[in-house]
Amino acid sequence: MSAILPKLGFFVKDRLRKGLRRCRSAALRVRYLIVLNLSNGRGAYETAAVLAVHNTTVYRVVRRFHEHGEWGLLDGREDNGTTKLDERCLDMLDRLVRSSPREHGWRRPTWTRELLAKTLMRQAGVCIHVATMSRALAMIQARRGRPRPTVRCPWSPVAKARRLGQIRRLLATLPRDHVAVYEDEVDIHLNPKIGLDWMAKGQQKEVVTPGQNVKRYLAGAVDIRTGLLVWVEGERKTSALFIALLERLRAHNPRAAVIHVILDNYRIHASKITQTALAGFGGRVRLHFLPPYCPNDNRIERLWQDLHANVTRYHRCENMDHLIVEVRDYLWRRNRTGTTIAYSQAA
């Protein structure tokens, strides 16, 4: 039995064990474990080392246990009065996080915990510590992430909604002998893409790059009914690459009366060479352009994101030929399964 804790009876220890199993607070569990470890003969310093707390914490918990018994293990700060992090404070913090510091008179473009605490003090008169700010951010489920660069559509909201509505009606009333696809191009870089990844404590993963980048391009179209992808490859992203994809679509859908291609406003889609090729198709291929800078409305964009996540990110291919083989293998396997697949590259 520890010298700082008197001997506990069987029923007292049994009640503490039951309380430990019931509690959901991590801090309260630590206080229960401190008393139980001491009652089993461990010393204060040994208990502190096992539970990764300071020895003064052990002595403070024992003192409160002496004075108040099991109730002394509860958080005494509950009697301190009204918490600063009330609903009004958290609601204001949520609005601050969703805005920019420059909107509140600061020159810095991004938030820090210190800056949030100063702004909250200035606007709400609530003074909290930086550590408390971390807890407040967790309470509103805020997180540190990488912002997404976007370009706003230059069209008016009415014009944008009208065009998207026309495309939705086209897809909803698509005749059985017509085919509709979402089309886009993607760049394949020999230099691996860098993204977020899990790392162990003290570790920073390294990605070996070949140094001199090499590029290849894919033009693809995904069928809205079957989800199958048709694609072509090229060394340059030109009108010839796009026309080659349209030819592949015609060959892949020989019985389709009309192939509707939903695509963005990239210049190769409306070039004179493309217009000449479309005229030669006799109206069998029709292009439907999305509003400018609306990638979220092009469903194939998610497929390209999955391609980068499963193949090109952190790849270990030494040359472009090897990388293209990996890309083809992933896309072929995706077409066979009909869904996004978890892909393991060859070393």
Side-chain angles (χ1 to χ4, degrees):
M1 177 63 62
S2 172
I4 66 172
L5 187 70
K7 185 176 181 179
L8 302 179
F10 171 81
F11 292 105
V12 175
K13 294 173 66 173
D14 186 59
R15 189 169 63 249
L16 290 173
R17 294 191 193 99
K18 290 180 179 178
L20 174 63
R21 288 193 293 267
R22 287 195 304 268
C23 77
R24 295 293 180 265
S25 169
L28 181 56
R29 287 178 64 89
V30 170
R31 291 191 284 272
Y32 270 109
L33 288 171
I34 288 174
V35 175
L36 289 172
N37 273 268
L38 293 173
S39 68
N40 290 330
R42 278 188 173 148
Y45 283 86
E46 186 181 4
T47 299
V50 169
L51 299 178
V53 297
H54 199 270
N55 62 290
T56 56
T57 302
V58 175
Y59 287 107
R60 184 173 64 252
V61 171
V62 171
R63 185 175 65 253
R64 288 182 58 85
F65 185 74
H66 276 309
E67 295 173 356
H68 306 287
E70 185 178 354
W71 295 108
L73 302 181
L74 300 178
D75 193 346
R77 293 174 297 180
E78 294 179 355
D79 300 327
N80 286 350
T82 305
T83 177
K84 293 181 180 179
L85 299 180
D86 56 11
E87 185 176 351
R88 182 183 70 89
C89 177
L90 294 177
D91 183 64
M92 180 170 292
L93 179 61
D94 183 74
R95 292 198 301 269
L96 289 178
V97 172
R98 295 177 186 275
S99 63
S100 168
R102 291 177 175 172
E103 299 176 21
H104 303 276
W106 304 104
R107 299 186 64 181
R108 182 182 172 91
T110 57
W111 287 112
T112 63
R113 294 178 302 166
E114 293 82 1
L115 202 58
L116 284 169
K118 290 181 180 179
T119 308
L120 201 61
M121 176 62 186
R122 176 192 295 178
Q123 297 190 3
V126 178
C127 181
I128 62 175
H129 193 267
V130 174
T132 306
M133 177 58 69
S134 299
R135 185 159 55 90
L137 291 171
M139 292 173 68
I140 65 172
Q141 298 182 346
R143 61 180 179 85
R144 284 180 60 84
R146 182 179 300 171
R148 180 181 60 187
T150 58
V151 180
R152 294 189 182 278
C153 178
W155 289 9
S156 68
V158 174
K160 178 181 176 180
R162 184 186 303 117
R163 176 62 60 83
L164 293 177
Q166 292 171 355
I167 294 175
R168 293 192 190 100
R169 286 192 293 272
L170 167 69
L171 300 181
T173 60
L174 191 68
R176 294 179 60 86
D177 60 342
H178 287 208
V179 172
V181 298
Y182 282 94
E183 189 277 342
D184 194 26
E185 293 78 27
V186 64
D187 300 2
I188 305 297
H189 293 245
L190 184 57
N191 278 340
K193 281 186 169 292
I194 307 298
L196 301 178
D197 194 10
W198 291 103
M199 302 181 192
K201 182 178 180 180
Q203 176 197 25
Q204 184 173 18
K205 293 182 178 179
E206 294 183 351
V207 180
V208 179
T209 64
Q212 185 173 1
N213 195 21
V214 181
K215 296 182 181 180
R216 291 290 187 274
Y217 303 95
L218 267 62
V222 61
D223 193 300
I224 66 165
R225 287 183 177 133
T226 65
L228 293 179
L229 175 71
V230 175
W231 78 92
V232 295
E233 304 165 9
E235 296 186 358
R236 299 179 61 193
K237 189 158 57 174
T238 62
S239 298
L241 180 68
F242 178 57
I243 295 171
L245 174 64
L246 298 182
E247 295 281 5
R248 181 69 63 84
L249 284 172
R250 294 177 63 206
H252 187 74
N253 301 278
R255 298 182 180 179
V258 179
I259 301 174
H260 301 273
V261 183
I262 303 169
L263 69 175
D264 60 25
N265 294 266
Y266 191 51
R267 61 178 182 272
I268 66 174
H269 300 156
S271 66
K272 293 182 179 179
I273 299 176
T274 300
Q275 294 299 324
T276 302
L278 289 172
F281 295 156
R284 188 167 173 238
V285 177
R286 300 178 187 173
L287 305 185
H288 303 271
F289 292 95
L290 292 164
Y293 304 116
C294 295
N296 293 335
D297 295 300
N298 194 340
R299 297 181 187 176
I300 198 175
E301 291 284 356
R302 178 55 189 270
L303 191 152
W304 295 146
Q305 292 175 10
D306 293 335
L307 173 65
H308 287 312
N310 287 278
V311 182
T312 64
R313 185 172 296 164
Y314 306 145
H315 74 79
R316 299 181 180 180
C317 301
E318 297 180 354
N319 53 62
M320 179 55 72
D321 292 337
H322 185 191
L323 180 57
I324 287 296
V325 169
E326 300 287 347
V327 170
R328 292 171 185 163
D329 183 61
Y330 174 80
L331 296 178
W332 284 334
R333 291 174 62 186
R334 180 201 171 276
N335 275 350
R336 286 198 298 270
T337 60
T339 57
T340 300
I341 57 176
Y343 185 75
S344 58
Q345 290 182 341

